[in-house]
PDB file of all heavy atoms in Angstrom:
ATOM      1  N   ASP A   1     209.400  34.786 111.178  1.00  0.00           N
ATOM      2  CA  ASP A   1     208.010  34.462 111.385  1.00  0.00           C
ATOM      3  C   ASP A   1     207.502  33.694 110.182  1.00  0.00           C
ATOM      4  O   ASP A   1     206.778  32.668 110.306  1.00  0.00           O
ATOM      5  CB  ASP A   1     207.157  35.744 111.515  1.00  0.00           C
ATOM      6  CG  ASP A   1     207.113  36.252 112.958  1.00  0.00           C
ATOM      7  OD1 ASP A   1     207.455  35.463 113.847  1.00  0.00           O
ATOM      8  OD2 ASP A   1     206.770  37.430 113.173  1.00  0.00           O
ATOM      9  N   ARG A   2     207.887  34.144 108.997  1.00  0.00           N
ATOM     10  CA  ARG A   2     207.463  33.464 107.759  1.00  0.00           C
ATOM     11  C   ARG A   2     208.005  32.045 107.694  1.00  0.00           C
ATOM     12  O   ARG A   2     207.339  31.130 107.235  1.00  0.00           O
ATOM     13  CB  ARG A   2     207.973  34.286 106.580  1.00  0.00           C
ATOM     14  CG  ARG A   2     207.563  33.762 105.195  1.00  0.00           C
ATOM     15  CD  ARG A   2     208.377  34.435 104.100  1.00  0.00           C
ATOM     16  NE  ARG A   2     209.804  34.133 104.293  1.00  0.00           N
ATOM     17  CZ  ARG A   2     210.794  34.782 103.690  1.00  0.00           C
ATOM     18  NH1 ARG A   2     210.516  35.821 102.931  1.00  0.00           N
ATOM     19  NH2 ARG A   2     212.082  34.430 103.904  1.00  0.00           N
ATOM     20  N   ASP A   3     209.252  31.887 108.188  1.00  0.00           N
ATOM     21  CA  ASP A   3     209.884  30.572 108.114  1.00  0.00           C
ATOM     22  C   ASP A   3     209.643  29.698 109.344  1.00  0.00           C
ATOM     23  O   ASP A   3     210.181  28.601 109.446  1.00  0.00           O
ATOM     24  CB  ASP A   3     211.418  30.764 107.945  1.00  0.00           C
ATOM     25  CG  ASP A   3     211.762  31.492 106.644  1.00  0.00           C
ATOM     26  OD1 ASP A   3     210.939  31.458 105.732  1.00  0.00           O
ATOM     27  OD2 ASP A   3     212.829  32.156 106.610  1.00  0.00           O
ATOM     28  N   HIS A   4     208.837  30.216 110.300  1.00  0.00           N
ATOM     29  CA  HIS A   4     208.510  29.485 111.527  1.00  0.00           C
ATOM     30  C   HIS A   4     209.792  29.050 112.306  1.00  0.00           C
ATOM     31  O   HIS A   4     209.929  27.912 112.742  1.00  0.00           O
ATOM     32  CB  HIS A   4     207.646  28.256 111.244  1.00  0.00           C
ATOM     33  CG  HIS A   4     206.401  28.584 110.478  1.00  0.00           C
ATOM     34  ND1 HIS A   4     205.371  29.297 111.013  1.00  0.00           N
ATOM     35  CD2 HIS A   4     206.077  28.314 109.209  1.00  0.00           C
ATOM     36  CE1 HIS A   4     204.435  29.445 110.128  1.00  0.00           C
ATOM     37  NE2 HIS A   4     204.805  28.869 108.993  1.00  0.00           N
ATOM     38  N   ALA A   5     210.730  29.996 112.401  1.00  0.00           N
ATOM     39  CA  ALA A   5     212.023  29.701 113.044  1.00  0.00           C
ATOM     40  C   ALA A   5     211.805  29.460 114.563  1.00  0.00           C
ATOM     41  O   ALA A   5     210.911  30.025 115.171  1.00  0.00           O
ATOM     42  CB  ALA A   5     212.999  30.866 112.817  1.00  0.00           C
ATOM     43  N   SER A   6     212.707  28.683 115.137  1.00  0.00           N
ATOM     44  CA  SER A   6     212.636  28.410 116.575  1.00  0.00           C
ATOM     45  C   SER A   6     213.079  29.630 117.392  1.00  0.00           C
ATOM     46  O   SER A   6     213.751  30.546 116.875  1.00  0.00           O
ATOM     47  CB  SER A   6     213.540  27.221 116.904  1.00  0.00           C
ATOM     48  OG  SER A   6     214.899  27.551 116.720  1.00  0.00           O
ATOM     49  N   ALA A   7     212.778  29.608 118.674  1.00  0.00           N
ATOM     50  CA  ALA A   7     213.175  30.679 119.560  1.00  0.00           C
ATOM     51  C   ALA A   7     214.700  30.799 119.608  1.00  0.00           C
ATOM     52  O   ALA A   7     215.231  31.948 119.651  1.00  0.00           O
ATOM     53  CB  ALA A   7     212.624  30.484 120.966  1.00  0.00           C
ATOM     54  N   ASP A   8     215.406  29.664 119.648  1.00  0.00           N
ATOM     55  CA  ASP A   8     216.872  29.698 119.696  1.00  0.00           C
ATOM     56  C   ASP A   8     217.454  30.373 118.435  1.00  0.00           C
ATOM     57  O   ASP A   8     218.386  31.146 118.525  1.00  0.00           O
ATOM     58  CB  ASP A   8     217.452  28.285 119.823  1.00  0.00           C
ATOM     59  CG  ASP A   8     217.266  27.747 121.233  1.00  0.00           C
ATOM     60  OD1 ASP A   8     216.996  28.559 122.151  1.00  0.00           O
ATOM     61  OD2 ASP A   8     217.360  26.529 121.422  1.00  0.00           O
ATOM     62  N   THR A   9     216.836  30.077 117.270  1.00  0.00           N
ATOM     63  CA  THR A   9     217.296  30.705 116.051  1.00  0.00           C
ATOM     64  C   THR A   9     217.093  32.207 116.057  1.00  0.00           C
ATOM     65  O   THR A   9     217.914  32.982 115.644  1.00  0.00           O
ATOM     66  CB  THR A   9     216.564  30.063 114.851  1.00  0.00           C
ATOM     67  OG1 THR A   9     216.854  28.658 114.808  1.00  0.00           O
ATOM     68  CG2 THR A   9     217.027  30.721 113.520  1.00  0.00           C
ATOM     69  N   ARG A  10     215.885  32.613 116.566  1.00  0.00           N
ATOM     70  CA  ARG A  10     215.594  34.037 116.634  1.00  0.00           C
ATOM     71  C   ARG A  10     216.572  34.745 117.549  1.00  0.00           C
ATOM     72  O   ARG A  10     217.027  35.880 117.234  1.00  0.00           O
ATOM     73  CB  ARG A  10     214.157  34.230 117.174  1.00  0.00           C
ATOM     74  CG  ARG A  10     213.070  33.774 116.225  1.00  0.00           C
ATOM     75  CD  ARG A  10     211.720  33.652 116.973  1.00  0.00           C
ATOM     76  NE  ARG A  10     210.732  33.024 116.097  1.00  0.00           N
ATOM     77  CZ  ARG A  10     209.803  33.687 115.416  1.00  0.00           C
ATOM     78  NH1 ARG A  10     209.748  34.997 115.486  1.00  0.00           N
ATOM     79  NH2 ARG A  10     208.952  33.062 114.651  1.00  0.00           N
ATOM     80  N   LYS A  11     216.936  34.144 118.673  1.00  0.00           N
ATOM     81  CA  LYS A  11     217.914  34.754 119.561  1.00  0.00           C
ATOM     82  C   LYS A  11     219.261  34.874 118.930  1.00  0.00           C
ATOM     83  O   LYS A  11     219.950  35.869 119.044  1.00  0.00           O
ATOM     84  CB  LYS A  11     217.982  33.942 120.878  1.00  0.00           C
ATOM     85  CG  LYS A  11     216.764  34.032 121.721  1.00  0.00           C
ATOM     86  CD  LYS A  11     216.911  33.156 122.989  1.00  0.00           C
ATOM     87  CE  LYS A  11     215.656  33.250 123.859  1.00  0.00           C
ATOM     88  NZ  LYS A  11     215.754  32.380 125.057  1.00  0.00           N
ATOM     89  N   ARG A  12     219.661  33.791 118.244  1.00  0.00           N
ATOM     90  CA  ARG A  12     220.993  33.785 117.623  1.00  0.00           C
ATOM     91  C   ARG A  12     221.110  34.821 116.521  1.00  0.00           C
ATOM     92  O   ARG A  12     222.081  35.570 116.423  1.00  0.00           O
ATOM     93  CB  ARG A  12     221.292  32.392 117.082  1.00  0.00           C
ATOM     94  CG  ARG A  12     222.638  32.296 116.320  1.00  0.00           C
ATOM     95  CD  ARG A  12     222.906  30.871 115.875  1.00  0.00           C
ATOM     96  NE  ARG A  12     221.807  30.326 115.120  1.00  0.00           N
ATOM     97  CZ  ARG A  12     221.595  30.598 113.807  1.00  0.00           C
ATOM     98  NH1 ARG A  12     222.426  31.414 113.169  1.00  0.00           N
ATOM     99  NH2 ARG A  12     220.595  30.062 113.156  1.00  0.00           N
ATOM    100  N   VAL A  13     220.076  34.908 115.652  1.00  0.00           N
ATOM    101  CA  VAL A  13     220.114  35.810 114.522  1.00  0.00           C
ATOM    102  C   VAL A  13     220.016  37.286 114.985  1.00  0.00           C
ATOM    103  O   VAL A  13     220.748  38.124 114.495  1.00  0.00           O
ATOM    104  CB  VAL A  13     218.980  35.465 113.532  1.00  0.00           C
ATOM    105  CG1 VAL A  13     218.890  36.556 112.429  1.00  0.00           C
ATOM    106  CG2 VAL A  13     219.209  34.095 112.926  1.00  0.00           C
ATOM    107  N   THR A  14     219.118  37.573 115.887  1.00  0.00           N
ATOM    108  CA  THR A  14     218.921  38.972 116.301  1.00  0.00           C
ATOM    109  C   THR A  14     219.904  39.414 117.372  1.00  0.00           C
ATOM    110  O   THR A  14     220.108  40.626 117.543  1.00  0.00           O
ATOM    111  CB  THR A  14     217.485  39.163 116.868  1.00  0.00           C
ATOM    112  OG1 THR A  14     217.314  38.325 118.021  1.00  0.00           O
ATOM    113  CG2 THR A  14     216.439  38.821 115.801  1.00  0.00           C
ATOM    114  N   GLY A  15     220.453  38.457 118.131  1.00  0.00           N
ATOM    115  CA  GLY A  15     221.352  38.851 119.220  1.00  0.00           C
ATOM    116  C   GLY A  15     220.587  39.231 120.473  1.00  0.00           C
ATOM    117  O   GLY A  15     221.210  39.719 121.416  1.00  0.00           O
ATOM    118  N   VAL A  16     219.245  39.070 120.492  1.00  0.00           N
ATOM    119  CA  VAL A  16     218.422  39.401 121.649  1.00  0.00           C
ATOM    120  C   VAL A  16     218.204  38.113 122.434  1.00  0.00           C
ATOM    121  O   VAL A  16     217.486  37.203 121.985  1.00  0.00           O
ATOM    122  CB  VAL A  16     217.072  39.998 121.207  1.00  0.00           C
ATOM    123  CG1 VAL A  16     216.215  40.334 122.411  1.00  0.00           C
ATOM    124  CG2 VAL A  16     217.285  41.221 120.362  1.00  0.00           C
ATOM    125  N   ARG A  17     218.778  38.044 123.635  1.00  0.00           N
ATOM    126  CA  ARG A  17     218.736  36.791 124.415  1.00  0.00           C
ATOM    127  C   ARG A  17     217.597  36.738 125.431  1.00  0.00           C
ATOM    128  O   ARG A  17     217.245  35.697 125.907  1.00  0.00           O
ATOM    129  CB  ARG A  17     220.063  36.595 125.115  1.00  0.00           C
ATOM    130  CG  ARG A  17     221.224  36.400 124.154  1.00  0.00           C
ATOM    131  CD  ARG A  17     222.578  36.527 124.840  1.00  0.00           C
ATOM    132  NE  ARG A  17     222.739  37.872 125.378  1.00  0.00           N
ATOM    133  CZ  ARG A  17     223.362  38.122 126.493  1.00  0.00           C
ATOM    134  NH1 ARG A  17     223.896  37.187 127.194  1.00  0.00           N
ATOM    135  NH2 ARG A  17     223.523  39.379 126.931  1.00  0.00           N
ATOM    136  N   ASN A  18     217.042  37.890 125.752  1.00  0.00           N
ATOM    137  CA  ASN A  18     215.989  37.950 126.755  1.00  0.00           C
ATOM    138  C   ASN A  18     214.645  37.574 126.160  1.00  0.00           C
ATOM    139  O   ASN A  18     214.230  38.224 125.171  1.00  0.00           O
ATOM    140  CB  ASN A  18     215.949  39.363 127.372  1.00  0.00           C
ATOM    141  CG  ASN A  18     214.880  39.491 128.441  1.00  0.00           C
ATOM    142  OD1 ASN A  18     213.773  39.766 128.122  1.00  0.00           O
ATOM    143  ND2 ASN A  18     215.275  39.280 129.669  1.00  0.00           N
ATOM    144  N   ASP A  19     213.966  36.557 126.701  1.00  0.00           N
ATOM    145  CA  ASP A  19     212.691  36.127 126.152  1.00  0.00           C
ATOM    146  C   ASP A  19     211.642  37.220 126.097  1.00  0.00           C
ATOM    147  O   ASP A  19     210.900  37.350 125.131  1.00  0.00           O
ATOM    148  CB  ASP A  19     212.163  34.931 126.963  1.00  0.00           C
ATOM    149  CG  ASP A  19     213.005  33.670 126.789  1.00  0.00           C
ATOM    150  OD1 ASP A  19     213.559  33.509 125.718  1.00  0.00           O
ATOM    151  OD2 ASP A  19     213.130  32.878 127.738  1.00  0.00           O
ATOM    152  N   TRP A  20     211.567  37.985 127.192  1.00  0.00           N
ATOM    153  CA  TRP A  20     210.580  39.072 127.257  1.00  0.00           C
ATOM    154  C   TRP A  20     210.875  40.102 126.193  1.00  0.00           C
ATOM    155  O   TRP A  20     209.972  40.525 125.473  1.00  0.00           O
ATOM    156  CB  TRP A  20     210.603  39.699 128.669  1.00  0.00           C
ATOM    157  CG  TRP A  20     209.703  40.844 128.806  1.00  0.00           C
ATOM    158  CD1 TRP A  20     208.360  40.837 129.030  1.00  0.00           C
ATOM    159  CD2 TRP A  20     210.075  42.246 128.729  1.00  0.00           C
ATOM    160  NE1 TRP A  20     207.867  42.121 129.134  1.00  0.00           N
ATOM    161  CE2 TRP A  20     208.912  42.995 128.933  1.00  0.00           C
ATOM    162  CE3 TRP A  20     211.287  42.920 128.524  1.00  0.00           C
ATOM    163  CZ2 TRP A  20     208.885  44.402 128.954  1.00  0.00           C
ATOM    164  CZ3 TRP A  20     211.292  44.276 128.522  1.00  0.00           C
ATOM    165  CH2 TRP A  20     210.114  45.022 128.722  1.00  0.00           C
ATOM    166  N   ALA A  21     212.119  40.522 126.083  1.00  0.00           N
ATOM    167  CA  ALA A  21     212.490  41.542 125.098  1.00  0.00           C
ATOM    168  C   ALA A  21     212.268  41.033 123.652  1.00  0.00           C
ATOM    169  O   ALA A  21     211.777  41.781 122.806  1.00  0.00           O
ATOM    170  CB  ALA A  21     213.974  41.942 125.249  1.00  0.00           C
ATOM    171  N   LEU A  22     212.581  39.762 123.442  1.00  0.00           N
ATOM    172  CA  LEU A  22     212.351  39.188 122.128  1.00  0.00           C
ATOM    173  C   LEU A  22     210.841  39.144 121.771  1.00  0.00           C
ATOM    174  O   LEU A  22     210.426  39.422 120.649  1.00  0.00           O
ATOM    175  CB  LEU A  22     212.949  37.768 122.063  1.00  0.00           C
ATOM    176  CG  LEU A  22     213.035  37.134 120.668  1.00  0.00           C
ATOM    177  CD1 LEU A  22     214.006  37.879 119.823  1.00  0.00           C
ATOM    178  CD2 LEU A  22     213.457  35.666 120.785  1.00  0.00           C
ATOM    179  N   GLY A  23     210.048  38.835 122.797  1.00  0.00           N
ATOM    180  CA  GLY A  23     208.604  38.848 122.608  1.00  0.00           C
ATOM    181  C   GLY A  23     208.049  40.241 122.285  1.00  0.00           C
ATOM    182  O   GLY A  23     207.181  40.393 121.404  1.00  0.00           O
ATOM    183  N   LYS A  24     208.595  41.218 122.964  1.00  0.00           N
ATOM    184  CA  LYS A  24     208.175  42.615 122.721  1.00  0.00           C
ATOM    185  C   LYS A  24     208.558  43.017 121.289  1.00  0.00           C
ATOM    186  O   LYS A  24     207.757  43.642 120.545  1.00  0.00           O
ATOM    187  CB  LYS A  24     208.807  43.575 123.714  1.00  0.00           C
ATOM    188  CG  LYS A  24     208.264  43.433 125.120  1.00  0.00           C
ATOM    189  CD  LYS A  24     206.858  43.948 125.268  1.00  0.00           C
ATOM    190  CE  LYS A  24     206.798  45.447 125.251  1.00  0.00           C
ATOM    191  NZ  LYS A  24     205.400  45.948 125.469  1.00  0.00           N
ATOM    192  N   LEU A  25     209.776  42.713 120.883  1.00  0.00           N
ATOM    193  CA  LEU A  25     210.213  43.057 119.538  1.00  0.00           C
ATOM    194  C   LEU A  25     209.376  42.301 118.451  1.00  0.00           C
ATOM    195  O   LEU A  25     209.089  42.904 117.423  1.00  0.00           O
ATOM    196  CB  LEU A  25     211.692  42.718 119.357  1.00  0.00           C
ATOM    197  CG  LEU A  25     212.691  43.645 120.002  1.00  0.00           C
ATOM    198  CD1 LEU A  25     214.127  43.130 119.882  1.00  0.00           C
ATOM    199  CD2 LEU A  25     212.614  45.055 119.401  1.00  0.00           C
ATOM    200  N   SER A  26     209.010  41.068 118.754  1.00  0.00           N
ATOM    201  CA  SER A  26     208.172  40.334 117.848  1.00  0.00           C
ATOM    202  C   SER A  26     206.807  41.032 117.676  1.00  0.00           C
ATOM    203  O   SER A  26     206.251  41.106 116.599  1.00  0.00           O
ATOM    204  CB  SER A  26     207.959  38.899 118.335  1.00  0.00           C
ATOM    205  OG  SER A  26     209.204  38.190 118.345  1.00  0.00           O
ATOM    206  N   GLY A  27     206.308  41.593 118.782  1.00  0.00           N
ATOM    207  CA  GLY A  27     205.050  42.322 118.754  1.00  0.00           C
ATOM    208  C   GLY A  27     205.206  43.611 117.911  1.00  0.00           C
ATOM    209  O   GLY A  27     204.348  43.984 117.132  1.00  0.00           O
ATOM    210  N   PHE A  28     206.353  44.313 118.101  1.00  0.00           N
ATOM    211  CA  PHE A  28     206.619  45.501 117.300  1.00  0.00           C
ATOM    212  C   PHE A  28     206.635  45.132 115.801  1.00  0.00           C
ATOM    213  O   PHE A  28     206.118  45.896 114.957  1.00  0.00           O
ATOM    214  CB  PHE A  28     207.943  46.157 117.674  1.00  0.00           C
ATOM    215  CG  PHE A  28     208.048  46.607 119.107  1.00  0.00           C
ATOM    216  CD1 PHE A  28     209.287  46.819 119.673  1.00  0.00           C
ATOM    217  CD2 PHE A  28     206.910  46.851 119.868  1.00  0.00           C
ATOM    218  CE1 PHE A  28     209.438  47.276 120.987  1.00  0.00           C
ATOM    219  CE2 PHE A  28     207.011  47.283 121.177  1.00  0.00           C
ATOM    220  CZ  PHE A  28     208.262  47.504 121.758  1.00  0.00           C
ATOM    221  N   ALA A  29     207.312  44.004 115.476  1.00  0.00           N
ATOM    222  CA  ALA A  29     207.510  43.619 114.090  1.00  0.00           C
ATOM    223  C   ALA A  29     206.154  43.403 113.388  1.00  0.00           C
ATOM    224  O   ALA A  29     206.029  43.685 112.180  1.00  0.00           O
ATOM    225  CB  ALA A  29     208.332  42.337 114.015  1.00  0.00           C
ATOM    226  N   LYS A  30     205.173  42.952 114.136  1.00  0.00           N
ATOM    227  CA  LYS A  30     203.833  42.711 113.532  1.00  0.00           C
ATOM    228  C   LYS A  30     203.178  44.015 113.097  1.00  0.00           C
ATOM    229  O   LYS A  30     202.206  43.987 112.309  1.00  0.00           O
ATOM    230  CB  LYS A  30     202.961  41.972 114.545  1.00  0.00           C
ATOM    231  CG  LYS A  30     203.339  40.506 114.741  1.00  0.00           C
ATOM    232  CD  LYS A  30     202.427  39.806 115.745  1.00  0.00           C
ATOM    233  CE  LYS A  30     202.659  38.311 115.806  1.00  0.00           C
ATOM    234  NZ  LYS A  30     203.988  37.963 116.252  1.00  0.00           N
ATOM    235  N   LYS A  31     203.638  45.137 113.585  1.00  0.00           N
ATOM    236  CA  LYS A  31     203.018  46.428 113.217  1.00  0.00           C
ATOM    237  C   LYS A  31     203.681  47.054 111.948  1.00  0.00           C
ATOM    238  O   LYS A  31     203.313  48.126 111.562  1.00  0.00           O
ATOM    239  CB  LYS A  31     203.162  47.407 114.383  1.00  0.00           C
ATOM    240  CG  LYS A  31     202.419  46.917 115.645  1.00  0.00           C
ATOM    241  CD  LYS A  31     202.499  47.901 116.800  1.00  0.00           C
ATOM    242  CE  LYS A  31     201.752  47.400 118.004  1.00  0.00           C
ATOM    243  NZ  LYS A  31     201.799  48.337 119.139  1.00  0.00           N
ATOM    244  N   PHE A  32     204.603  46.304 111.370  1.00  0.00           N
ATOM    245  CA  PHE A  32     205.258  46.742 110.126  1.00  0.00           C
ATOM    246  C   PHE A  32     205.094  45.612 109.104  1.00  0.00           C
ATOM    247  O   PHE A  32     205.094  44.430 109.469  1.00  0.00           O
ATOM    248  CB  PHE A  32     206.755  47.009 110.315  1.00  0.00           C
ATOM    249  CG  PHE A  32     207.078  48.148 111.261  1.00  0.00           C
ATOM    250  CD1 PHE A  32     207.218  47.937 112.621  1.00  0.00           C
ATOM    251  CD2 PHE A  32     207.239  49.426 110.756  1.00  0.00           C
ATOM    252  CE1 PHE A  32     207.536  48.985 113.479  1.00  0.00           C
ATOM    253  CE2 PHE A  32     207.559  50.482 111.591  1.00  0.00           C
ATOM    254  CZ  PHE A  32     207.715  50.265 112.952  1.00  0.00           C
ATOM    255  N   SER A  33     205.105  45.963 107.845  1.00  0.00           N
ATOM    256  CA  SER A  33     205.209  44.939 106.808  1.00  0.00           C
ATOM    257  C   SER A  33     206.701  44.761 106.463  1.00  0.00           C
ATOM    258  O   SER A  33     207.526  45.595 106.762  1.00  0.00           O
ATOM    259  CB  SER A  33     204.462  45.392 105.546  1.00  0.00           C
ATOM    260  OG  SER A  33     205.168  46.502 104.943  1.00  0.00           O
ATOM    261  N   SER A  34     207.016  43.588 105.868  1.00  0.00           N
ATOM    262  CA  SER A  34     208.382  43.324 105.467  1.00  0.00           C
ATOM    263  C   SER A  34     208.888  44.404 104.487  1.00  0.00           C
ATOM    264  O   SER A  34     210.025  44.858 104.552  1.00  0.00           O
ATOM    265  CB  SER A  34     208.536  41.946 104.844  1.00  0.00           C
ATOM    266  OG  SER A  34     208.306  40.941 105.785  1.00  0.00           O
ATOM    267  N   ALA A  35     207.994  44.775 103.566  1.00  0.00           N
ATOM    268  CA  ALA A  35     208.387  45.798 102.556  1.00  0.00           C
ATOM    269  C   ALA A  35     208.678  47.140 103.251  1.00  0.00           C
ATOM    270  O   ALA A  35     209.598  47.865 102.843  1.00  0.00           O
ATOM    271  CB  ALA A  35     207.243  45.935 101.560  1.00  0.00           C
ATOM    272  N   GLU A  36     207.882  47.436 104.211  1.00  0.00           N
ATOM    273  CA  GLU A  36     208.035  48.713 104.942  1.00  0.00           C
ATOM    274  C   GLU A  36     209.382  48.733 105.683  1.00  0.00           C
ATOM    275  O   GLU A  36     210.139  49.720 105.626  1.00  0.00           O
ATOM    276  CB  GLU A  36     206.899  48.860 105.952  1.00  0.00           C
ATOM    277  CG  GLU A  36     206.806  50.230 106.601  1.00  0.00           C
ATOM    278  CD  GLU A  36     205.607  50.346 107.500  1.00  0.00           C
ATOM    279  OE1 GLU A  36     204.925  49.329 107.764  1.00  0.00           O
ATOM    280  OE2 GLU A  36     205.352  51.471 107.976  1.00  0.00           O
TER     281      GLU A  36
END
């Protein structure tokens, strides 16, 4: 998020290929800080 990575990069790095699932995880990530 900080690096404004593309959707393809996010899928490759996380191994999550489903757009919906990736979107949900991105929503979960917003509820945590990086330090946390």
Side-chain angles (χ1 to χ4, degrees):
D1 274 343
R2 183 194 62 195
D3 298 336
H4 305 292
S6 67
D8 285 343
T9 300
R10 292 165 189 260
K11 289 178 181 179
R12 177 176 54 79
V13 172
T14 62
V16 179
R17 296 167 297 146
N18 180 274
D19 292 328
W20 177 81
L22 192 65
K24 290 289 286 183
L25 284 174
S26 295
F28 298 160
K30 288 180 171 62
K31 298 181 180 181
F32 296 89
S33 68
S34 292
E36 191 177 9

